[in-house]
Amino acid sequence: MAELACPEPPDGGWGWMVVLAGFLQSALVFGVIRSFGVFFMEFVGYFGELAGRVSWVTSIGISVQQLGGPVGSALSTQYGARPVVMAGGVLSGLGMFLASFATSLTHLYLSIGLLSGLGWALVFTPSVASVARYFGKRRAFATGLAVSGAGLASFAFSPLFQLLVDTYAWRGALLVVAGISFNLVAAGALLRPLELEGNKASVPEAGWLQLPAFSSFCRPRLACHRPFLLFSAAFILVDAGYYVPYVHLVPHARELGFDEYRAAFLLSSAAVADLCGRVVGGWLADRFAIRLVHSLTLWTVLTGFSMMLVPLGQSYSLLMGLCICYGFFAGALVPLQFSGLAEIVGTGHIMEGIGLMQMLESAGSLVGAPLSGWLRDMTGDYTASFIVAGTFLLAGSLLLFALPNYFSCPMDSTTEEETRGDP
Protein backbone atom coordinates (compact mmCIF):
# COMPACT_ATOMS: atom_id res chain seq x y z
CA MET A 1 0.00 0.00 0.00
CA ALA A 2 1.19 3.50 -0.81
CA GLU A 3 2.06 5.99 1.91
CA LEU A 4 -0.70 8.45 2.78
CA ALA A 5 0.08 12.18 3.08
CA CYS A 6 -2.31 14.32 5.16
CA PRO A 7 -2.17 17.86 6.57
CA GLU A 8 -3.59 16.58 9.88
CA PRO A 9 -4.69 13.27 11.44
CA PRO A 10 -7.61 11.91 9.35
CA ASP A 11 -9.60 10.72 12.42
CA GLY A 12 -10.98 7.76 10.50
CA GLY A 13 -10.62 6.05 7.13
CA TRP A 14 -7.77 3.56 7.13
CA GLY A 15 -7.17 4.65 10.70
CA TRP A 16 -9.80 2.14 11.80
CA MET A 17 -7.76 -0.66 10.23
CA VAL A 18 -4.77 0.65 12.19
CA VAL A 19 -6.96 0.47 15.31
CA LEU A 20 -7.73 -3.15 14.37
CA ALA A 21 -4.00 -3.83 14.08
CA GLY A 22 -3.49 -2.25 17.50
CA PHE A 23 -6.31 -4.38 18.89
CA LEU A 24 -4.68 -7.55 17.56
CA GLN A 25 -1.22 -6.65 18.86
CA SER A 26 -2.52 -5.82 22.34
CA ALA A 27 -4.41 -9.12 22.33
CA LEU A 28 -1.43 -11.18 21.21
CA VAL A 29 1.13 -9.40 23.41
CA PHE A 30 -0.58 -8.41 26.65
CA GLY A 31 -3.28 -11.06 26.41
CA VAL A 32 -0.49 -13.66 26.48
CA ILE A 33 1.44 -11.87 29.25
CA ARG A 34 -1.63 -11.50 31.44
CA SER A 35 -2.61 -15.15 31.06
CA PHE A 36 0.86 -16.48 31.87
CA GLY A 37 -0.13 -17.01 35.49
CA VAL A 38 -1.58 -20.33 34.30
CA PHE A 39 1.97 -21.51 33.52
CA PHE A 40 3.33 -20.16 36.82
CA MET A 41 2.28 -23.14 38.94
CA GLU A 42 3.46 -25.55 36.23
CA PHE A 43 6.94 -24.01 36.21
CA VAL A 44 7.12 -24.00 40.03
CA GLY A 45 6.20 -27.69 40.13
CA TYR A 46 8.34 -28.86 37.20
CA PHE A 47 11.54 -26.98 38.03
CA GLY A 48 11.11 -27.15 41.82
CA GLU A 49 11.93 -23.45 42.25
CA LEU A 50 10.60 -20.77 44.60
CA ALA A 51 7.88 -18.36 43.43
CA GLY A 52 10.35 -15.45 43.45
CA ARG A 53 12.65 -17.11 40.92
CA VAL A 54 9.84 -18.25 38.62
CA SER A 55 8.37 -14.71 38.68
CA TRP A 56 11.44 -13.49 36.79
CA VAL A 57 10.27 -15.27 33.61
CA THR A 58 7.34 -12.91 33.09
CA SER A 59 9.08 -9.95 34.69
CA ILE A 60 12.07 -10.11 32.33
CA GLY A 61 9.75 -10.38 29.33
CA ILE A 62 7.76 -7.29 30.35
CA SER A 63 10.95 -5.36 31.16
CA VAL A 64 12.63 -6.20 27.85
CA GLN A 65 9.41 -5.22 26.05
CA GLN A 66 9.56 -1.83 27.70
CA LEU A 67 13.34 -1.42 27.67
CA GLY A 68 13.33 -2.08 23.93
CA GLY A 69 10.73 0.61 23.30
CA PRO A 70 13.26 3.16 21.98
CA VAL A 71 14.67 0.53 19.63
CA GLY A 72 11.21 -0.06 18.19
CA SER A 73 10.70 3.69 17.90
CA ALA A 74 14.03 4.27 16.14
CA LEU A 75 13.60 1.41 13.70
CA SER A 76 10.01 2.44 12.92
CA THR A 77 11.05 6.03 12.30
CA GLN A 78 13.67 4.84 9.83
CA TYR A 79 12.00 1.88 8.13
CA GLY A 80 8.30 2.30 8.91
CA ALA A 81 6.09 0.62 11.47
CA ARG A 82 4.93 -2.24 9.24
CA PRO A 83 8.21 -4.19 8.74
CA VAL A 84 9.28 -3.59 12.34
CA VAL A 85 6.02 -4.95 13.80
CA MET A 86 6.13 -7.95 11.44
CA ALA A 87 9.70 -8.73 12.53
CA GLY A 88 8.61 -8.43 16.16
CA GLY A 89 5.85 -10.96 15.53
CA VAL A 90 8.40 -13.46 14.26
CA LEU A 91 10.62 -12.99 17.31
CA SER A 92 7.76 -13.28 19.82
CA GLY A 93 6.54 -16.54 18.30
CA LEU A 94 10.07 -17.91 18.04
CA GLY A 95 10.71 -17.22 21.72
CA MET A 96 7.61 -19.19 22.77
CA PHE A 97 8.58 -22.03 20.43
CA LEU A 98 12.08 -22.32 21.93
CA ALA A 99 10.64 -22.09 25.46
CA SER A 100 8.75 -25.35 24.88
CA PHE A 101 12.13 -27.15 24.85
CA ALA A 102 13.41 -25.52 28.09
CA THR A 103 15.21 -27.71 30.61
CA SER A 104 15.88 -24.97 33.20
CA LEU A 105 14.58 -21.59 34.28
CA THR A 106 17.56 -19.96 32.56
CA HIS A 107 16.25 -21.23 29.23
CA LEU A 108 12.88 -19.61 29.97
CA TYR A 109 14.60 -16.36 30.95
CA LEU A 110 16.34 -16.29 27.56
CA SER A 111 13.52 -17.53 25.33
CA ILE A 112 10.39 -15.94 26.82
CA GLY A 113 12.10 -13.13 28.73
CA LEU A 114 14.69 -11.98 26.21
CA LEU A 115 13.59 -13.16 22.75
CA SER A 116 9.81 -12.86 23.05
CA GLY A 117 10.27 -9.69 25.11
CA LEU A 118 12.29 -8.11 22.29
CA GLY A 119 9.62 -9.14 19.81
CA TRP A 120 6.94 -7.51 21.97
CA ALA A 121 9.06 -4.33 22.08
CA LEU A 122 9.15 -4.14 18.29
CA VAL A 123 5.39 -4.68 18.13
CA PHE A 124 3.94 -2.48 20.86
CA THR A 125 5.44 1.01 20.46
CA PRO A 126 4.99 1.33 16.65
CA SER A 127 1.41 0.03 16.86
CA VAL A 128 0.27 2.47 19.56
CA ALA A 129 2.13 5.38 17.95
CA SER A 130 0.47 4.62 14.61
CA VAL A 131 -2.98 4.93 16.19
CA ALA A 132 -1.98 8.26 17.74
CA ARG A 133 -0.84 9.56 14.34
CA TYR A 134 -4.11 8.61 12.61
CA PHE A 135 -6.39 10.22 15.22
CA GLY A 136 -6.60 13.68 16.76
CA LYS A 137 -10.01 14.58 18.18
CA ARG A 138 -10.95 10.96 18.87
CA ARG A 139 -7.47 9.84 19.93
CA ALA A 140 -8.38 8.66 23.46
CA PHE A 141 -11.34 6.62 22.19
CA ALA A 142 -9.35 5.10 19.31
CA THR A 143 -6.47 4.27 21.65
CA GLY A 144 -8.94 2.70 24.07
CA LEU A 145 -10.30 0.45 21.32
CA ALA A 146 -6.79 -0.48 20.17
CA VAL A 147 -5.54 -1.51 23.59
CA SER A 148 -8.81 -3.25 24.57
CA GLY A 149 -7.61 -6.38 22.79
CA ALA A 150 -5.62 -7.27 25.90
CA GLY A 151 -8.80 -7.56 27.95
CA LEU A 152 -10.68 -9.69 25.43
CA ALA A 153 -7.70 -11.96 24.85
CA SER A 154 -7.06 -12.38 28.57
CA PHE A 155 -10.67 -13.50 29.02
CA ALA A 156 -10.23 -16.15 26.33
CA PHE A 157 -6.60 -17.11 26.93
CA SER A 158 -6.71 -17.87 30.66
CA PRO A 159 -9.11 -20.85 30.41
CA LEU A 160 -7.70 -21.77 26.99
CA PHE A 161 -4.14 -21.97 28.33
CA GLN A 162 -5.35 -24.04 31.29
CA LEU A 163 -7.09 -26.42 28.88
CA LEU A 164 -3.96 -26.64 26.73
CA VAL A 165 -1.81 -27.40 29.79
CA ASP A 166 -4.22 -30.12 30.92
CA THR A 167 -4.33 -31.62 27.41
CA TYR A 168 -0.77 -31.26 26.12
CA ALA A 169 1.24 -30.38 29.28
CA TRP A 170 3.07 -27.07 29.50
CA ARG A 171 5.49 -27.83 26.65
CA GLY A 172 2.73 -28.57 24.15
CA ALA A 173 0.76 -25.58 25.38
CA LEU A 174 3.72 -23.27 24.67
CA LEU A 175 3.91 -24.61 21.12
CA VAL A 176 0.30 -23.59 20.57
CA VAL A 177 0.98 -20.17 22.13
CA ALA A 178 3.89 -19.79 19.69
CA GLY A 179 1.54 -20.42 16.76
CA ILE A 180 -0.91 -17.85 18.12
CA SER A 181 1.88 -15.30 18.53
CA PHE A 182 2.97 -15.59 14.90
CA ASN A 183 -0.33 -13.91 13.94
CA LEU A 184 1.33 -10.64 14.97
CA VAL A 185 2.93 -10.72 11.53
CA ALA A 186 -0.50 -10.36 9.91
CA ALA A 187 -1.43 -7.56 12.32
CA GLY A 188 1.70 -5.64 11.35
CA ALA A 189 0.78 -5.84 7.66
CA LEU A 190 -2.23 -3.57 8.34
CA LEU A 191 -0.08 -0.59 9.37
CA ARG A 192 -0.14 1.67 6.32
CA PRO A 193 2.41 4.51 6.61
CA LEU A 194 0.99 8.00 7.23
CA GLU A 195 3.00 11.19 6.69
CA LEU A 196 1.67 14.30 8.42
CA GLU A 197 2.71 17.71 7.09
CA GLY A 198 5.46 19.24 9.19
CA ASN A 199 6.70 15.87 10.46
CA LYS A 200 8.91 14.89 7.53
CA ALA A 201 12.50 14.27 8.47
CA SER A 202 15.44 15.19 6.25
CA VAL A 203 17.92 12.35 5.93
CA PRO A 204 21.55 13.38 5.54
CA GLU A 205 24.00 11.72 3.20
CA ALA A 206 26.20 10.43 6.04
CA GLY A 207 26.27 6.92 7.47
CA TRP A 208 23.41 5.09 9.15
CA LEU A 209 24.49 6.13 12.67
CA GLN A 210 23.70 9.74 11.74
CA LEU A 211 20.19 9.02 10.51
CA PRO A 212 17.47 10.86 12.48
CA ALA A 213 16.06 7.64 13.91
CA PHE A 214 19.34 6.55 15.45
CA SER A 215 20.39 10.01 16.59
CA SER A 216 17.07 10.36 18.45
CA PHE A 217 17.65 6.94 19.96
CA CYS A 218 21.15 7.81 21.18
CA ARG A 219 20.33 11.42 22.18
CA PRO A 220 16.56 11.62 22.88
CA ARG A 221 15.31 15.20 22.98
CA LEU A 222 12.81 14.32 25.70
CA ALA A 223 15.52 13.19 28.13
CA CYS A 224 15.69 16.73 29.60
CA HIS A 225 11.97 17.50 29.30
CA ARG A 226 10.71 17.86 32.90
CA PRO A 227 6.98 17.15 32.35
CA PHE A 228 7.84 14.03 30.36
CA LEU A 229 10.30 12.80 33.01
CA LEU A 230 7.75 13.33 35.80
CA PHE A 231 5.09 11.50 33.80
CA SER A 232 7.47 8.60 33.15
CA ALA A 233 8.59 8.45 36.79
CA ALA A 234 4.95 8.13 37.84
CA PHE A 235 4.53 5.13 35.56
CA ILE A 236 7.73 3.51 36.78
CA LEU A 237 5.99 3.28 40.15
CA VAL A 238 2.66 2.28 38.59
CA ASP A 239 4.25 -0.56 36.63
CA ALA A 240 5.94 -1.90 39.76
CA GLY A 241 2.48 -2.89 40.95
CA TYR A 242 0.31 -3.01 37.84
CA TYR A 243 1.31 -6.46 36.54
CA VAL A 244 1.37 -8.28 39.91
CA PRO A 245 -2.19 -9.70 39.66
CA TYR A 246 -1.52 -11.12 36.21
CA VAL A 247 1.38 -13.14 37.62
CA HIS A 248 0.19 -13.95 41.14
CA LEU A 249 -3.63 -13.84 41.14
CA VAL A 250 -4.03 -17.44 39.94
CA PRO A 251 -1.48 -18.84 42.46
CA HIS A 252 -3.16 -16.75 45.20
CA ALA A 253 -6.56 -18.23 44.35
CA ARG A 254 -5.10 -21.76 44.26
CA GLU A 255 -3.65 -21.24 47.74
CA LEU A 256 -7.13 -20.23 48.96
CA GLY A 257 -8.36 -23.67 47.89
CA PHE A 258 -10.03 -22.90 44.54
CA ASP A 259 -9.41 -25.34 41.67
CA GLU A 260 -7.38 -24.35 38.63
CA TYR A 261 -10.36 -23.50 36.40
CA ARG A 262 -12.09 -21.32 39.02
CA ALA A 263 -8.75 -19.58 39.61
CA ALA A 264 -8.28 -19.02 35.87
CA PHE A 265 -11.85 -17.69 35.60
CA LEU A 266 -10.97 -14.95 38.09
CA LEU A 267 -8.34 -13.72 35.66
CA SER A 268 -10.81 -14.01 32.78
CA SER A 269 -13.41 -11.96 34.66
CA ALA A 270 -10.84 -9.28 35.43
CA ALA A 271 -9.95 -9.29 31.73
CA VAL A 272 -13.55 -8.65 30.65
CA ALA A 273 -13.77 -5.77 33.13
CA ASP A 274 -10.42 -4.52 31.77
CA LEU A 275 -11.86 -4.57 28.24
CA CYS A 276 -14.87 -2.52 29.34
CA GLY A 277 -12.65 -0.15 31.30
CA ARG A 278 -10.42 0.61 28.33
CA VAL A 279 -13.32 1.46 26.04
CA VAL A 280 -15.30 3.37 28.69
CA GLY A 281 -12.23 5.21 29.95
CA GLY A 282 -11.30 6.39 26.47
CA TRP A 283 -14.91 7.31 25.61
CA LEU A 284 -15.41 9.31 28.81
CA ALA A 285 -12.14 11.18 28.25
CA ASP A 286 -13.27 12.33 24.80
CA ARG A 287 -16.90 12.90 25.82
CA PHE A 288 -16.50 15.18 28.84
CA ALA A 289 -14.46 18.35 29.33
CA ILE A 290 -12.11 16.81 31.90
CA ARG A 291 -8.36 16.99 31.41
CA LEU A 292 -6.80 13.66 30.56
CA VAL A 293 -4.25 13.86 33.37
CA HIS A 294 -7.02 14.38 35.95
CA SER A 295 -8.96 11.34 34.73
CA LEU A 296 -5.72 9.36 34.63
CA THR A 297 -4.98 10.24 38.26
CA LEU A 298 -8.45 9.14 39.36
CA TRP A 299 -8.26 5.75 37.63
CA THR A 300 -4.75 5.14 38.97
CA VAL A 301 -5.86 5.83 42.57
CA LEU A 302 -8.87 3.51 42.20
CA THR A 303 -6.64 0.79 40.73
CA GLY A 304 -4.25 1.02 43.66
CA PHE A 305 -6.98 0.82 46.29
CA SER A 306 -8.73 -2.09 44.57
CA MET A 307 -5.48 -4.06 44.45
CA MET A 308 -4.81 -3.47 48.15
CA LEU A 309 -8.26 -4.93 48.93
CA VAL A 310 -7.68 -8.20 47.03
CA PRO A 311 -6.40 -10.07 50.16
CA LEU A 312 -9.80 -9.44 51.81
CA GLY A 313 -11.47 -11.69 49.24
CA GLN A 314 -11.50 -14.94 51.19
CA SER A 315 -14.74 -16.15 49.58
CA TYR A 316 -14.93 -16.77 45.85
CA SER A 317 -17.76 -14.27 45.24
CA LEU A 318 -16.00 -11.47 47.12
CA LEU A 319 -12.69 -12.18 45.41
CA MET A 320 -14.49 -12.17 42.07
CA GLY A 321 -15.99 -8.76 42.78
CA LEU A 322 -12.62 -7.31 43.77
CA CYS A 323 -10.99 -8.72 40.64
CA ILE A 324 -13.69 -7.17 38.46
CA CYS A 325 -13.21 -3.78 40.13
CA TYR A 326 -9.44 -4.01 39.68
CA GLY A 327 -9.79 -5.05 36.05
CA PHE A 328 -12.12 -2.15 35.16
CA PHE A 329 -10.01 0.51 36.89
CA ALA A 330 -6.72 -0.87 35.54
CA GLY A 331 -8.15 -0.97 32.02
CA ALA A 332 -9.50 2.58 32.15
CA LEU A 333 -6.10 4.13 32.87
CA VAL A 334 -4.31 2.52 29.89
CA PRO A 335 -5.68 4.62 26.96
CA LEU A 336 -5.32 7.77 29.07
CA GLN A 337 -1.65 7.05 29.67
CA PHE A 338 -0.80 7.17 25.96
CA SER A 339 -3.28 9.93 25.09
CA GLY A 340 -1.96 11.95 28.02
CA LEU A 341 1.57 11.47 26.75
CA ALA A 342 0.55 12.91 23.37
CA GLU A 343 -0.87 15.92 25.24
CA ILE A 344 2.43 16.42 27.05
CA VAL A 345 4.98 15.93 24.23
CA GLY A 346 2.89 16.63 21.11
CA THR A 347 1.96 14.31 18.23
CA GLY A 348 5.23 14.98 16.43
CA HIS A 349 7.18 13.41 19.30
CA ILE A 350 4.78 10.59 20.14
CA MET A 351 6.90 7.78 18.65
CA GLU A 352 10.01 8.88 20.55
CA GLY A 353 7.95 9.59 23.66
CA ILE A 354 6.31 6.17 23.87
CA GLY A 355 9.60 4.40 23.23
CA LEU A 356 11.55 6.33 25.86
CA MET A 357 8.73 6.12 28.40
CA GLN A 358 8.51 2.35 27.91
CA MET A 359 12.27 2.05 28.45
CA LEU A 360 12.06 3.97 31.73
CA GLU A 361 9.00 1.99 32.85
CA SER A 362 10.95 -1.26 32.51
CA ALA A 363 12.65 -0.55 35.85
CA GLY A 364 9.31 -0.83 37.64
CA SER A 365 8.15 -3.86 35.67
CA LEU A 366 11.42 -5.68 36.33
CA VAL A 367 11.15 -5.55 40.13
CA GLY A 368 7.37 -5.73 40.64
CA ALA A 369 6.53 -9.41 40.18
CA PRO A 370 9.78 -10.81 41.67
CA LEU A 371 9.34 -8.55 44.72
CA SER A 372 5.81 -9.86 45.17
CA GLY A 373 7.04 -13.43 44.79
CA TRP A 374 9.78 -12.80 47.37
CA LEU A 375 7.23 -11.34 49.81
CA ARG A 376 5.10 -14.44 49.35
CA ASP A 377 8.10 -16.69 50.05
CA MET A 378 8.94 -14.68 53.18
CA THR A 379 5.42 -14.35 54.61
CA GLY A 380 3.78 -17.54 53.40
CA ASP A 381 0.90 -15.88 51.51
CA TYR A 382 0.19 -13.08 49.02
CA THR A 383 -1.33 -10.51 51.41
CA ALA A 384 1.78 -8.34 51.64
CA SER A 385 2.37 -8.75 47.89
CA PHE A 386 -0.94 -7.14 46.90
CA ILE A 387 -0.74 -4.42 49.55
CA VAL A 388 2.75 -3.37 48.42
CA ALA A 389 1.71 -3.50 44.76
CA GLY A 390 -1.25 -1.21 45.45
CA THR A 391 1.00 1.16 47.36
CA PHE A 392 3.22 1.52 44.29
CA LEU A 393 0.21 2.63 42.22
CA LEU A 394 -0.86 5.19 44.82
CA ALA A 395 2.69 6.57 44.93
CA GLY A 396 2.66 6.90 41.14
CA SER A 397 -0.63 8.81 41.24
CA LEU A 398 0.88 11.30 43.71
CA LEU A 399 3.69 12.09 41.25
CA LEU A 400 1.12 13.09 38.63
CA PHE A 401 0.13 16.01 40.88
CA ALA A 402 3.64 17.44 40.33
CA LEU A 403 3.09 17.90 36.58
CA PRO A 404 3.25 21.57 35.47
CA ASN A 405 -0.14 23.32 35.37
CA TYR A 406 -1.85 20.26 36.90
CA PHE A 407 -4.33 22.45 38.78
CA SER A 408 -4.73 25.14 36.12
CA CYS A 409 -4.60 25.40 32.33
CA PRO A 410 -3.99 22.52 29.87
CA MET A 411 -0.42 21.42 29.32
CA ASP A 412 -0.43 21.21 25.54
CA SER A 413 -0.27 24.98 25.16
CA THR A 414 3.32 25.11 26.41
CA THR A 415 4.88 21.71 26.22
CA GLU A 416 4.85 21.56 22.45
CA GLU A 417 7.30 24.44 22.40
CA GLU A 418 9.49 22.87 25.09
CA THR A 419 10.00 19.71 23.07
CA ARG A 420 10.95 21.39 19.84
CA GLY A 421 14.38 22.55 20.87
CA ASP A 422 17.36 20.34 21.55
CA PRO A 423 18.20 19.99 25.29
Side-chain angles (χ1 to χ4, degrees):
M1 292 178 218
E3 180 179 288
L4 297 177
C6 301
E8 59 184 19
D11 265 316
W14 191 263
W16 295 116
M17 296 303 294
V18 176
V19 169
L20 174 61
F23 180 91
L24 293 174
Q25 69 82 14
S26 66
L28 298 177
V29 173
F30 291 101
V32 170
I33 291 174
R34 291 177 168 201
S35 303
F36 232 72
V38 171
F39 290 96
F40 186 88
M41 297 300 291
E42 301 298 321
F43 294 155
V44 169
Y46 183 85
F47 296 107
E49 297 283 359
L50 295 174
R53 285 178 56 82
V54 177
S55 299
W56 282 103
V57 176
T58 306
S59 186
I60 291 173
I62 296 172
S63 298
V64 171
Q65 178 262 316
Q66 295 177 326
L67 189 64
V71 178
S73 297
L75 292 175
S76 296
T77 302
Q78 186 59 45
Y79 301 109
R82 181 188 294 158
V84 174
V85 172
M86 294 175 73
V90 173
L91 291 178
S92 63
L94 181 61
M96 292 294 173
F97 174 77
L98 294 177
S100 67
F101 300 98
T103 58
S104 70
L105 278 183
T106 302
H107 294 162
L108 294 180
Y109 295 159
L110 294 175
S111 55
I112 297 175
L114 186 59
L115 192 57
S116 289
L118 179 58
W120 296 333
L122 298 183
V123 166
F124 179 74
T125 301
S127 298
V128 175
S130 295
V131 174
R133 289 176 67 83
Y134 266 90
F135 290 86
K137 296 179 181 179
R138 292 184 284 185
R139 180 178 293 140
F141 178 63
T143 304
L145 289 177
V147 298
S148 65
L152 184 62
S154 299
F155 171 74
F157 285 170
S158 292
L160 173 62
F161 288 0
Q162 187 62 61
L163 178 63
L164 291 174
V165 169
D166 291 342
T167 305
Y168 304 111
W170 66 268
R171 295 185 186 276
L174 283 177
L175 285 174
V176 178
V177 175
I180 294 173
S181 297
F182 280 123
N183 285 283
L184 285 167
V185 178
L190 295 174
L191 298 178
R192 175 189 284 182
L194 174 68
E195 186 64 61
L196 299 176
E197 289 185 6
N199 285 339
K200 295 184 179 181
S202 58
V203 181
E205 296 292 330
W208 65 273
L209 284 174
Q210 295 180 341
L211 294 178
F214 291 96
S215 63
S216 65
F217 170 62
C218 298
R219 294 182 299 150
R221 287 168 289 182
L222 298 176
C224 295
H225 184 258
R226 182 173 175 271
F228 170 78
L229 293 177
L230 280 172
F231 192 78
S232 298
F235 277 93
I236 292 174
L237 294 172
V238 168
D239 277 25
Y242 186 88
Y243 293 101
V244 167
Y246 299 109
V247 179
H248 294 301
L249 180 59
V250 170
H252 171 64
R254 294 288 299 275
E255 290 187 357
L256 292 177
F258 305 122
D259 64 52
E260 58 268 26
Y261 283 98
R262 296 187 80 191
F265 189 67
L266 289 171
L267 207 55
S268 295
S269 300
V272 172
D274 177 281
L275 168 64
C276 297
R278 292 179 184 228
V279 177
V280 171
W283 179 79
L284 289 175
D286 286 340
R287 181 70 176 81
F288 297 100
I290 301 175
R291 286 186 56 198
L292 290 176
V293 69
H294 294 162
S295 298
L296 177 60
T297 305
L298 173 64
W299 293 121
T300 305
V301 169
L302 291 174
T303 304
F305 278 125
S306 64
M307 190 182 299
M308 296 176 74
L309 294 176
V310 167
L312 297 179
Q314 297 298 306
S315 67
Y316 190 77
S317 58
L318 181 55
L319 183 58
M320 173 68 76
L322 291 169
C323 290
I324 290 174
C325 289
Y326 166 77
F328 186 87
F329 299 148
L333 73 85
V334 173
L336 303 187
Q337 176 188 0
F338 298 107
S339 299
L341 179 64
E343 181 184 89
I344 290 173
V345 304
T347 306
H349 299 280
I350 188 64
M351 185 76 78
E352 178 187 345
I354 292 178
L356 185 56
M357 181 179 67
Q358 287 273 293
M359 183 186 73
L360 296 174
E361 282 182 88
S362 65
S365 302
L366 183 64
V367 302
L371 175 60
S372 295
W374 179 80
L375 288 172
R376 186 261 170 236
D377 293 333
M378 293 296 103
T379 62
D381 59 41
Y382 285 99
T383 299
S385 300
F386 286 107
I387 292 176
V388 171
T391 303
F392 276 124
L393 276 106
L394 295 179
S397 67
L398 290 177
L399 266 185
L400 293 176
F401 285 99
L403 288 170
N405 303 318
Y406 183 92
F407 299 100
S408 55
C409 59
M411 277 180 264
D412 53 350
S413 62
T414 59
T415 53
E416 185 74 29
E417 293 183 7
E418 293 182 46
T419 57
R420 289 187 186 281
D422 291 329

